[in-house]
Amino acid sequence: MESGRKITIGLCVNSFYNEYAARVWSGAVKAAEELGISLIGFADNSIDNFDPTVREKRLFELAAPGSLDGMIIVLPSITTQASKDRLALFLEEFSSTPVVHVGVEDESLNRIVSDNRKGIRELMDHLVECHRRTRIAFIRGPEGVSDADERYEAYLFSLEAHGIPFRPSLVQSGNFRRDSGTAA
């Protein structure tokens, strides 16, 4: 990297219009300002879309190899192998660029993952032990998405650990969007 040139990091998300990505973006902007680096955001919700006319308009294509000093990939909603394969093809162009993935299970990748199980267990412990709650509703994320599955498993484990019977009527499906949470 040239001396005196500002580091430029690309942050790839599937949308800037969901609460999760908006919070990630906000935190990344704050960190970039504190570190004195440039941050470029790329949003693309077409990675799971098989329509070639949608994929041709991918915003990720604005990220050119050599234009970024590093990339952060935050695409937790990618669920199909075909989508993962398309992302891998895209990232091949950036083989000389450091890339970190957020929320992926693949141990061969540089990654940051949250401990979903621990977080839900701590939340459940707090609700049961501090607030004496025994009817705890749960909005489950999409089945097959590791974050959602881990959280649900921890919810079930915590109910059992506290001797609270499982009530299927207290579990509703969601998709990580505010409107689905409101509906549930």
Side-chain angles (χ1 to χ4, degrees), residues 39-109:
L39 183 68
I40 299 174
F42 301 95
D44 186 346
N45 65 357
S46 69
I47 198 78
D48 265 332
N49 193 323
F50 292 96
D51 180 347
T53 61
V54 172
R55 285 200 315 267
E56 287 171 8
K57 298 176 183 174
R58 292 174 38 146
L59 292 177
F60 278 169
E61 291 171 0
L62 296 172
S67 66
L68 300 172
D69 298 302
M71 289 179 50
I72 302 168
I73 308 293
V74 186
L75 296 171
S77 65
I78 293 180
T79 56
T80 66
Q81 187 58 48
S83 297
K84 291 174 185 175
D85 292 344
R86 280 198 297 281
L87 177 63
L89 279 174
F90 167 74
L91 290 174
E92 279 181 16
E93 297 178 41
F94 294 89
S95 60
S96 64
T97 304
V99 176
V100 66
H101 298 261
V102 177
V104 296
E105 293 181 19
D106 188 339
E107 293 183 13
S108 70
L109 300 172

Side-chain angles (χ1 to χ4, degrees), residues 120-179:
I120 293 296
R121 284 193 310 264
E122 289 177 358
L123 173 64
M124 294 290 288
D125 289 347
H126 177 80
L127 291 171
V128 173
E129 296 166 13
C130 295
H131 298 283
R132 305 289 181 231
R133 299 293 185 227
T134 57
R135 288 182 38 104
I136 302 170
F138 190 84
I139 302 172
R140 182 179 180 160
E143 288 186 48
V145 175
S146 61
D147 287 338
D149 292 342
E150 289 173 5
R151 292 171 191 159
Y152 183 62
E153 290 165 8
Y155 167 76
L156 295 174
F157 174 85
S158 292
L159 288 175
E160 185 176 329
H162 289 289
I164 299 171
F166 172 67
R167 296 179 181 96
S169 63
L170 294 178
V171 176
Q172 297 294 315
S173 294
N175 63 10
F176 298 136
R177 293 182 45 189
R178 183 182 294 256
D179 58 342

